[in-house]
Amino acid sequence: MNTALSWIKAYVPELDCTDQEYCDAMTLSGTKVEGFERKDKNLEKIVVGQITAIEGHPDADKLIVCQVNIGTETIQIVTGAHNVKVGDKVPVVLDGGKVAGGHDGGPLPEDGIAIKAGKLRGVPSNGMMCSIEELGSDRNMYPEAPEEGIYIFERADKEHSKEKRSVEAGADAVELLGLHDTVFEYEITSNRVDCYSVLGVAREAAATFRKPFVPPVVKAVGNGEDVHDYISVEVLDTDLCPRYCARVCKNIKIGPSPEWMQRRLAASGIRPINNLVDITNYVMEEYGQPMHAFDLDTIAGHKIIVRRAGDGDEFQTLDGQVRKLDSEVLMICDAEKEIGIAGIMGGENSKITDDVHTVLFEAATFHGPNIRKSAKRIGLRTDASGKFEKGLEPHNAEDAINRACQLIEELGCGEAVGGMVDVAAPMAEKKVLPFRPEKYNSLLGTEIESEEMLAIFKRLEIETVKNEDGSISLVIPYFRQDLNCDADIAEEVVRFYGYDKVPATLPTGEATSGRLSYKLRIEQKARDIAEYCGFSQGMSYSFESPKVFDKLLIGEDDPLRRTVTISNPLGEDFSIMRTVSLNGMLGSLATNYNRRNKNVKLYELGNVYLPKALPLTELPDERVQFTLGCYGDGDFYTMKGVVEEFFTAVGMCKKPVYDPDSGKPFLHPGRQANIKYQGVTVGYLGEVHPEVLDNYEIGTKAYVAVLDMPSIIPLTTFDRKYEGIAKYPAVSRDLSMVVPKQILVGDIEQMILQRGGKLLESCQLFDIYEGVQIKQGFKSVAYSVTFRAKDRTLEESDINAAMKKILNGLEQMGIELRQ
């Protein structure tokens, strides 16, 4: 929604503020201003000049030398335009002034174009005569401007002038063009249908700045004839058309609309066409009520029928396109044929031409959701449908159509026939709500006086009625369809009282106990552990490119390539839902590496989306992945330590198993492992494959770990059993072994734990050695094994029995004690 400030001031004449003050105040009172633009931006020192003499340039056939009277003096200007004559009055930018753009109508430079006195082919030129494009506009908004050449305010003979106005040399040319104005762009919420009109915004401005609101006085003009002698209306589908108003104007004279109307329409982004079309557009912007004009002579039987279309029907709209219809599309028909799609666009067969003599005006209320669906179904959305789909108030139609007929007569465009055809379903009465100031203050946490609230309601045209019991009722005006309950009224109070005046208060109510769900507690613990270990949280998109799988070296037949495809993606790079979380993590590591951050540790908790079947028949499996990534100081064992720290924190106190046969193509073949806990694979970790690092432009080793949270959560517990400090001493034994290289340390630990029995308290690896003192194909591994009994001091026989079982198990694995 765009409006010109000059149009707002027409209804709030005492409004006096800067553009920024208007923007801020309207936004704070609830009518959000997205931005504004000065129409006279970069237009400086531009006046009306009258050409007093023209002669050819001595050294250039395409240039002419003009003497121009600018009121205070006569200056010489050299120009290449040949549409000017002696006596013409034109816009002139003086030495040191500015224009908005070039004569070619291209993009406007941010700071405009400065004009300085100089010489053109040796002849002094002390200014420049302007085309409409150089003034920041075009012929769409100034139809009287020539296709090429200088804009003419007033020709010498006035024969070709648009209006027989008289302008003085030296006058402000920008003001005469209506460019001393500001256009504001609003973001209107869909519940404020009244603000999709200039009158609605002006009413808000008047209430915001505490100024009188002066709407136009609408008179139901008309001659002594009866409109029912010209047209009849029948509405067959009253559920889709609650009200249909029709009026007739005859003796129509097509011509240009007045300049003030053209300027207001142009400021709203609507191209002026002619007086009849401009009046309908003007009323649509002013009242927010779309209207349509039919040539009455083209309406068969002089009868309007509002009904649904038939399935498979076709209809040619005003834009020349043939539209396919169905039974859900509402049509405006005459006695023989369709002549318009209700609320969207009229038909080619009833359009207004320059030969029109009698016009039928339509102002109706249509069912908003049906208009929206119909516009989408036939592929045609217009300014009118955009307003109808919000759900217009039926009472507005009568004022709008009367306003249009009033303008027809005031502008000398025709003669309004008396009366109005009005076919309407029973319309709702004005809503009445009780005045409950205590409730409003309770909702808002304020102590606003009742008198101040009533003053606000008066500015908003909400009537107050005193009841017999002394209470007060609020009568809501028809145009405020959004006011239905105490909360709505409280909002009206606070937005004009001032949000900045509302004090900070604590919420009141009964105490309730709330806590995070078990799943969220586990995820919070993951964050705590990661941050405790020096990792920073990152976030990445859940939708990504199919090219990710190639970057991660994932095979063509890998199940990870079975993805959910987004039906309306932002682009190919965001066209699928991710099935693996590493792309976002590696992308973040790459960004940090390329910005020369030396040591980086990141973590992310985010979903992957695994389809259960393709094409989709049900929602995919959304699985939260706890992803860790690092380069620099971290390594494989850093990741392993964080994983085990997390397991301990969530009650997974048994040692996980690391299976090197994980087969992840994006990880280094010899430096990766699946993480298993109690036989369940809960994730993986490892060093990133060098080729993948190259794909992501990471020039150093990087390590990742990924934990599948849905697999982990069933294995966790926050139950803790207290165990007192041991009363009896521990006994330690060291084992130094010669082990074949292919045997994993984890397998050795499993054997020690399995054979150690109840007395084994812990086993700790403290040395691994490979060198000349160890035979080829073997490595030296040393463990410290600790035993303790809870009820007694251990004897040597207890230790020897346990150690014998451990040594037998190790021997079966091909491990020897080091001599």
Side-chain angles (χ1 to χ4, degrees):
M1 177 70 190
N2 293 350
T3 67
L5 185 60
S6 60
W7 202 346
I8 298 295
K9 287 183 175 179
Y11 310 129
V12 191
E14 295 183 19
L15 182 63
D16 184 20
C17 60
T18 66
D19 295 339
Q20 190 62 53
E21 288 171 346
Y22 180 88
C23 175
D24 294 342
M26 291 293 284
T27 299
L28 286 174
S29 68
T31 308
K32 183 181 178 183
V33 179
E34 284 287 308
F36 60 88
E37 180 183 5
R38 290 287 308 178
K39 301 295 288 181
D40 58 2
K41 179 183 178 183
N42 295 325
L43 299 181
E44 299 177 9
K45 298 181 70 174
I46 302 176
V47 299
V48 175
Q50 184 171 19
I51 300 173
T52 58
I54 298 176
E55 60 183 19
H57 192 289
D59 294 324
D61 294 339
K62 294 184 178 181
L63 298 179
I64 57 175
V65 181
C66 302
Q67 303 300 319
V68 184
N69 174 19
I70 59 170
T72 57
E73 60 178 318
T74 297
I75 62 174
Q76 179 172 285
I77 296 177
V78 180
T79 180
H82 289 273
N83 68 315
V84 293
K85 299 178 181 177
V86 174
D88 288 349
K89 294 178 181 178
V90 299
V92 174
V93 56
L94 304 178
D95 179 25
K98 272 188 180 181
V99 291
H103 67 279
D104 57 355
L108 300 181
E110 183 65 27
D111 298 323
I113 299 173
I115 303 300
K116 295 183 179 180
K119 292 184 178 182
L120 287 179
R121 299 291 294 271
V123 176
S125 182
N126 298 311
M128 184 181 80
M129 294 182 282
C130 305
S131 66
I132 199 63
E133 288 78 15
E134 288 163 331
L135 296 171
S137 191
D138 55 43
R139 292 189 71 249
N140 285 328
M141 301 308 173
Y142 290 82
E144 74 277 12
E147 290 188 19
E148 294 181 0
I150 304 303
Y151 182 86
I152 309 295
F153 282 112
E154 180 183 310
R155 287 206 176 274
D157 54 10
K158 296 191 178 182
E159 180 182 350
H160 301 290
S161 293
K162 180 189 165 197
E163 294 185 40
K164 303 299 186 288
R165 62 178 175 176
S166 179
V167 295
E168 298 294 329
D172 186 344
V174 177
E175 181 178 358
L176 290 171
L177 289 166
L179 294 175
H180 283 317
D181 203 354
T182 305
V183 176
F184 290 88
E185 180 184 358
Y186 306 87
E187 180 186 331
I188 307 296
T189 54
S190 57
N191 65 322
R192 290 302 306 273
V193 183
D194 57 305
C195 286
Y196 283 92
S197 66
V198 177
L199 283 174
V201 175
R203 188 180 287 111
E204 289 288 303
T208 299
F209 290 94
R210 301 172 183 262
K211 302 295 183 182
F213 173 60
V214 186
V217 178
V218 180
K219 301 176 183 177
V221 297
N223 59 21
E225 298 178 274
D226 186 355
V227 69
H228 293 85
D229 296 334
Y230 285 80
I231 193 71
S232 62
V233 176
E234 181 181 6
V235 179
L236 300 182
D237 294 284
T238 54
D239 57 325
L240 300 184
C241 179
R243 189 176 194 185
Y244 192 99
C245 300
R247 291 201 63 178
V248 173
C249 293
K250 65 179 187 177
N251 300 327
I252 295 298
K253 299 178 182 125
I254 298 293
S257 54
E259 186 178 277
W260 61 267
M261 180 176 285
Q262 290 192 33
R263 299 297 177 256
R264 290 181 181 178
L265 290 175
S268 298
I270 299 176
R271 180 170 64 93
I273 298 175
N274 59 48
N275 49 8
L276 189 57
V277 175
D278 290 353
I279 285 172
T280 59
N281 286 333
Y282 184 85
V283 172
M284 179 177 72
E285 292 300 304
E286 186 177 44
Y287 279 81
Q289 171 68 51
M291 294 182 57
H292 190 69
F294 298 100
D295 186 341
L296 186 62
D297 294 333
T298 65
I299 298 177
H302 285 191
K303 182 175 184 178
I304 293 292
I305 303 173
V306 184
R307 61 168 176 80
R308 283 177 165 88
D311 288 327
D313 286 356
E314 293 185 345
F315 180 71
Q316 186 176 19
T317 48
L318 277 171
D319 58 1
Q321 300 293 314
V322 176
R323 312 286 175 176
K324 293 185 179 180
L325 312 174
D326 59 37
S327 59
E328 293 302 314
V329 178
L330 190 66
M331 301 297 294
I332 309 299
C333 310
D334 61 18
E336 299 175 355
K337 61 187 180 299
E338 295 94 347
I339 58 174
I341 303 177
I344 301 177
M345 185 175 282
E348 182 74 16
N349 55 10
S350 62
K351 69 179 181 180
I352 299 293
T353 66
D354 291 343
D355 298 327
V356 65
H357 297 291
T358 307
V359 166
L360 171 67
F361 277 128
E362 164 198 284
T365 305
F366 300 113
H367 185 248
N370 175 263
I371 294 298
R372 179 172 176 80
K373 291 176 183 177
S374 297
K376 198 168 186 180
R377 191 177 291 113
I378 67 175
L380 178 61
R381 195 168 187 271
T382 60
D383 289 341
S385 68
K387 285 183 165 59
F388 276 122
E389 67 190 25
K390 305 293 188 300
L392 298 184
E393 210 290 312
H395 291 85
N396 196 41
E398 182 175 354
D399 287 340
I401 201 168
N402 286 336
R403 173 66 164 160
C405 293
Q406 179 184 12
L407 288 171
I408 287 284
E409 293 205 343
E410 287 180 356
L411 304 184
C413 184
E415 178 185 355
V417 173
M420 178 180 72
V421 178
D422 187 6
V423 179
M427 289 183 285
E429 297 293 328
K430 289 183 178 179
K431 288 176 286 190
V432 179
L433 300 177
F435 176 54
R436 303 173 62 190
E438 297 83 6
K439 178 67 173 179
Y440 309 150
N441 279 323
S442 175
L443 287 169
L444 300 172
T446 55
E447 296 181 358
I448 304 173
E449 297 291 336
S450 299
E451 292 74 14
E452 186 167 358
M453 293 184 186
L454 293 174
I456 291 172
F457 297 149
K458 184 177 181 180
R459 303 206 307 267
L460 293 173
E461 301 182 31
I462 298 174
E463 300 175 29
T464 55
V465 177
K466 196 165 186 177
N467 303 314
E468 293 181 358
D469 59 359
S471 63
I472 296 176
S473 295
L474 305 176
V475 182
I476 310 302
Y478 288 121
F479 56 82
R480 290 304 302 273
Q481 300 181 64
D482 59 309
L483 301 183
N484 298 294
C485 62
D486 288 338
D488 296 332
I489 300 299
E491 182 184 12
E492 295 303 295
V493 171
V494 72
R495 69 192 186 95
F496 290 105
Y497 172 73
Y499 289 106
D500 56 324
K501 298 179 183 177
V502 177
T505 56
L506 293 173
T508 58
E510 296 181 2
T512 58
S513 60
R515 62 186 301 183
L516 295 175
S517 66
Y518 188 80
K519 170 180 175 292
L520 294 180
R521 289 172 66 196
I522 297 295
E523 291 178 6
Q524 185 59 51
K525 187 62 71 174
R527 293 187 185 92
D528 293 343
I529 294 299
E531 291 168 8
Y532 167 77
C533 294
F535 287 73
S536 300
Q537 185 172 13
M539 297 183 72
S540 57
Y541 288 117
S542 293
F543 32 86
E544 51 193 21
S545 169
K547 299 174 184 177
V548 163
F549 301 116
D550 294 332
K551 293 178 71 175
L552 293 173
L553 309 182
I554 294 174
E556 293 292 337
D557 56 348
D558 195 295
L560 291 176
R561 285 186 179 260
R562 300 177 68 248
T563 61
V564 177
T565 303
I566 300 172
S567 60
N568 57 340
L570 297 174
E572 184 183 2
D573 289 343
F574 305 95
S575 61
I576 62 170
M577 303 302 293
R578 65 181 175 185
T579 57
V580 60
S581 62
L582 285 184
N583 177 63
M585 177 57 67
L586 292 176
S588 298
L589 292 177
T591 299
N592 280 276
Y593 178 80
N594 291 318
R595 292 181 181 175
R596 303 192 179 188
N597 292 330
K598 292 183 178 180
N599 300 304
V600 175
K601 294 179 180 179
L602 298 175
Y603 78 92
E604 179 185 8
L605 278 165
N607 286 345
V608 295
Y609 303 82
L610 307 177
K612 299 172 184 176
L614 289 177
L616 285 177
T617 56
E618 56 182 318
L619 292 175
D621 185 13
E622 299 185 25
R623 304 183 72 84
V624 178
Q625 306 291 289
F626 179 27
T627 307
L628 299 154
C630 74
Y631 68 79
D633 288 344
D635 58 14
F636 183 95
Y637 297 103
T638 302
M639 291 300 188
K640 182 171 176 287
V642 177
V643 169
E644 294 182 0
E645 188 81 24
F646 168 62
F647 284 176
T648 301
V650 295
M652 299 168 65
C653 297
K654 296 182 179 180
K655 288 189 73 67
V657 175
Y658 298 90
D659 179 8
D661 296 326
S662 58
K664 298 291 187 291
F666 38 79
L667 298 180
H668 194 294
R671 300 169 190 170
Q672 59 174 286
N674 277 337
I675 306 169
K676 294 186 176 181
Y677 188 85
Q678 295 184 350
V680 178
T681 300
V682 296
Y684 57 86
L685 79 166
E687 180 183 326
V688 180
H689 196 290
E691 189 174 338
V692 174
L693 292 174
D694 290 340
N695 291 340
Y696 283 90
E697 298 182 357
I698 301 175
T700 186
K701 291 182 179 180
Y703 301 87
V704 295
V706 178
L707 297 177
D708 182 52
M709 299 301 281
S711 300
I712 288 174
I713 289 173
L715 304 172
T716 62
T717 179
F718 286 116
D719 295 336
R720 298 289 187 270
K721 183 178 179 181
Y722 172 74
E723 293 186 3
I725 298 174
K727 296 180 181 179
Y728 301 96
V731 178
S732 296
R733 293 286 187 270
D734 289 344
L735 288 173
S736 182
M737 300 165 281
V738 178
V739 181
K741 281 189 176 182
Q742 68 271 18
I743 296 179
L744 303 176
V745 169
D747 296 336
I748 298 174
E749 289 186 7
Q750 287 293 108
M751 179 59 70
I752 294 173
L753 293 172
Q754 181 182 350
R755 294 291 183 116
K758 294 181 179 179
L759 298 179
L760 179 65
E761 185 176 71
S762 65
C763 64
Q764 185 70 39
L765 174 70
F766 68 85
D767 184 54
I768 296 179
Y769 172 74
E770 294 182 37
V772 294
Q773 300 180 21
I774 306 298
K775 57 185 176 180
Q776 191 172 2
F778 288 79
K779 58 187 174 183
S780 172
V781 177
Y783 271 91
S784 176
V785 184
T786 302
F787 299 93
R788 191 196 303 266
K790 296 180 180 180
D791 56 350
R792 59 190 174 88
T793 300
L794 292 176
E795 298 180 358
E796 187 69 21
S797 59
D798 298 324
I799 306 300
N800 291 338
M803 286 297 297
K804 185 176 180 180
K805 290 181 181 179
I806 291 172
L807 293 173
N808 288 338
L810 295 173
E811 186 178 349
Q812 292 174 11
M813 296 174 66
I815 298 172
E816 305 172 4
L817 286 179
R818 185 176 178 184
Q819 302 299 325

